[in-house]
């Protein structure tokens, strides 16, 4: 082979190797390696939605979305406290994830086709099944959405809520005016100050606002109509299958543990139960950490420090929280809900 041909051949081989790297810069395992080197999981959360992600009275981040991040840190780093939280607006959240400023977005964000396929991000599962509704002041004596003709309804732009509301009003023939705000806080503050007669967002957020942002929560009520599907869950950057798998299976482990009746409250007892499924989950009968590049007992670490899904739900959104939201669709499939984890084996 001549020198020229050999040089051309080597150049072509180099091009074949280089092009995939240029197309997919986030090679498998990059995020996990970076997280371990950094010593913290960088998690994007909301700027304050009670029950999901907000700063508690002790100055620490709390909520369902926060707990998912802490569970990831416990699985990967062995310590649920090793999380760096970044509050993000609706407009900032995807850009921050795309730019690598955060490792995971866990911010009451709806999983949609355009987001999952068009933004360079991947949703790893559903942590909360929600739907959009409308909050009103009781003084207007409105009991159903159809009675909102002539009303002004506040909503935040740049979210699924704006489009959902416009579609719902049009299809139902409700002649109400939509008042749009760029940010969530100005939108709900406008409603509570009387600028709008109603406010629309996810039902869980409406209950949160009613409880935490109003001086007189009993003066407000959420109308019975729920007019959208809002599957909320964590998202990661596309292109890193290893990290995607870790975040996905951490979420599923929380659900599987609840279904098996294993949690923070009875972990030691469960480890002695002799139940093969429980022993496999806890890493005693099978190494379910190896395929993920995690320690054998990663689920046990998560449960010890964070708890299972049911325990997390009850203290953040359920009966142990100020919101007292019933499980509803977020109950396990064995109890009439939609929560279901693929087998962890």
């Amino acid at each position: 082979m001549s020198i020229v041909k050999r040089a051309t051949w080597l150049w072509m081989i180099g091009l074949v190797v280089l092009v995939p790297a240029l197309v997919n810069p986030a090679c498998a395992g990059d995020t996990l390696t970076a997280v371990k080197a950094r010593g913290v999981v960088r998690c994007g959360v909301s700027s304050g939605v009670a029950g999901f992600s907000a700063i508690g009275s002790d100055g620490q981040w709390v909520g369902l979305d926060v707990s998912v991040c802490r569970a990831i840190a416990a699985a990967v780093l062995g310590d649920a406290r090793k999380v760096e939280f970044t509050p993000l607006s609706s407009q900032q959240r995807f850009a921050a994830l795309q730019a690598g400023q955060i490792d995971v977005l866990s911010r009451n964000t709806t999983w949609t086709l355009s987001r999952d396929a068009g933004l360079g991000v991947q949703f790893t599962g559903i942590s909360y099944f929600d739907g959009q509704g409308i909050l009103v002041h009781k003084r207007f004596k409105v009991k159903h959405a159809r009675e909102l003709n002539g009303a002004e309804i506040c909503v935040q732009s740049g979210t699924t809520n704006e489009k959902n509301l416009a579609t719902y009003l049009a299809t139902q023939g409700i002649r109400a005016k939509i008042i749009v705000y760029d940010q969530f806080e100005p939108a709900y503050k406008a409603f509570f100050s009387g600028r709008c007669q109603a406010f629309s967002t996810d039902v869980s957020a409406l209950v949160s606002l009613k409880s935490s942002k109003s001086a007189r929560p009993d003066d407000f009520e959420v109308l019975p109509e729920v007019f959208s599907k809002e599957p909320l869950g964590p998202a990661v950057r596309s292109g890193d299958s290893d990290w995607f798998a870790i975040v996905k299976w951490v979420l599923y482990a929380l659900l599987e543990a609840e279904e098996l009746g294993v949690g923070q409250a009875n972990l030691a007892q469960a480890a002695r139960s002799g139940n093969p499924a429980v022993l496999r989950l806890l890493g005693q009968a099978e190494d379910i950490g190896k395929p993920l590049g995690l320690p054998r007992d990663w689920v046990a670490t998560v449960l010890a420090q964070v708890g299972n899904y049911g325990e997390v739900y009850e203290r953040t959104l359920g009966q142990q929280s100020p919101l007292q939201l019933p499980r509803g669709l977020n109950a396990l499939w064995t109890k009439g809900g939609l929560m279901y984890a693929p087998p962890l084996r």
Side-chain angles (χ1 to χ4, degrees):
M1 182 182 295
S2 69
I3 294 177
V4 173
K5 286 184 177 180
R6 180 177 176 80
T8 302
W9 179 70
L10 290 173
W11 177 83
M12 291 178 67
I13 291 177
L15 185 62
V16 169
V17 174
L18 178 61
V19 169
L22 291 175
V23 173
N24 184 17
C27 298
D30 280 358
T31 307
L32 178 58
T33 300
V35 167
K36 287 183 175 180
R38 191 190 312 122
V40 294
V41 174
R42 299 178 305 182
C43 184
V45 292
S46 75
S47 53
V49 177
F52 287 91
S53 50
I55 297 178
S57 57
D58 60 355
Q60 300 297 312
W61 283 94
V62 294
L64 177 65
D65 291 339
V66 167
S67 296
V68 171
C69 295
R70 294 198 187 281
I72 296 168
V76 174
L77 301 172
D79 190 339
R81 297 168 298 180
K82 293 184 176 180
V83 186
E84 179 183 288
F85 294 103
T86 301
L88 299 166
S89 68
S90 296
Q91 291 82 357
Q92 296 170 328
R93 55 186 166 177
F94 294 115
L97 183 58
Q98 293 162 341
Q101 296 171 3
I102 55 175
D103 304 311
V104 58
L105 177 67
S106 187
R107 186 204 175 282
N108 57 304
T109 298
T110 302
W111 185 352
T112 69
L113 183 151
S114 59
R115 290 172 174 177
D116 196 53
L119 294 180
V121 305
Q122 289 180 287
F123 284 81
T124 61
I126 299 170
S127 56
Y128 189 87
F129 287 94
D130 212 342
Q132 189 168 339
I134 298 174
L135 182 68
V136 297
H137 197 291
K138 288 182 179 178
R139 70 171 179 270
F140 296 119
K141 302 186 185 306
V142 171
K143 295 299 180 181
H144 293 278
R146 63 177 177 270
E147 301 169 25
L148 289 171
N149 279 314
E152 293 181 326
I153 307 175
C154 287
V155 70
Q156 183 186 3
S157 65
T159 65
T160 57
N161 299 143
E162 181 184 5
K163 292 181 179 179
N164 290 341
L165 179 60
T167 299
Y168 178 71
L169 295 179
T171 56
Q172 298 299 311
I174 301 171
R175 295 183 300 276
K177 183 179 180 181
I178 298 176
I179 307 298
V180 177
Y181 289 84
D182 289 338
Q183 301 292 331
F184 186 65
E185 186 172 350
Y188 73 71
K189 283 187 173 180
F191 164 69
F192 284 124
S193 69
R195 170 65 181 84
C196 307
Q197 289 76 52
F199 179 74
S200 184
T201 188
D202 298 347
V203 171
S204 62
L206 294 178
V207 175
S208 171
L209 289 171
K210 175 177 175 292
S211 172
S212 62
K213 302 297 182 181
S214 170
R216 301 172 63 89
D218 291 341
D219 288 352
F220 301 89
E221 65 180 329
V222 179
L223 298 181
E225 290 82 6
V226 178
F227 50 86
S228 75
K229 294 181 293 185
E230 305 295 330
L232 312 180
V236 297
R237 281 184 301 284
S238 298
D240 190 335
S241 58
D242 287 3
W243 185 246
F244 171 80
I246 287 171
V247 175
K248 174 174 63 177
W249 285 104
V250 166
L251 177 58
Y252 286 147
L254 299 177
L255 292 169
E256 182 77 352
E258 182 187 6
E259 183 175 339
L260 290 173
V262 184
Q264 196 171 39
N266 67 341
L267 186 58
Q269 180 182 354
R272 300 190 299 269
S273 69
N275 183 327
V278 171
L279 297 181
R280 181 172 57 245
L281 181 71
L282 300 180
Q284 294 185 19
E286 186 177 331
D287 188 355
I288 61 171
K290 186 175 180 180
L292 298 171
L294 297 179
R296 186 185 184 104
D297 62 347
W298 68 272
V299 177
T301 302
V302 169
L303 296 178
Q305 298 185 25
V306 180
N308 64 35
Y309 182 85
E311 290 173 320
V312 170
Y313 187 99
E314 288 307 314
R315 70 171 180 259
T316 58
L317 295 166
Q319 297 308 304
Q320 298 171 19
S321 77
L323 303 182
Q324 298 191 340
L325 281 171
R327 289 286 292 265
L329 296 178
N330 296 289
L332 294 176
W333 67 288
T334 54
K335 297 182 178 179
L338 298 178
M339 284 300 183
Y340 186 106
L344 271 76
R345 60 173 181 262

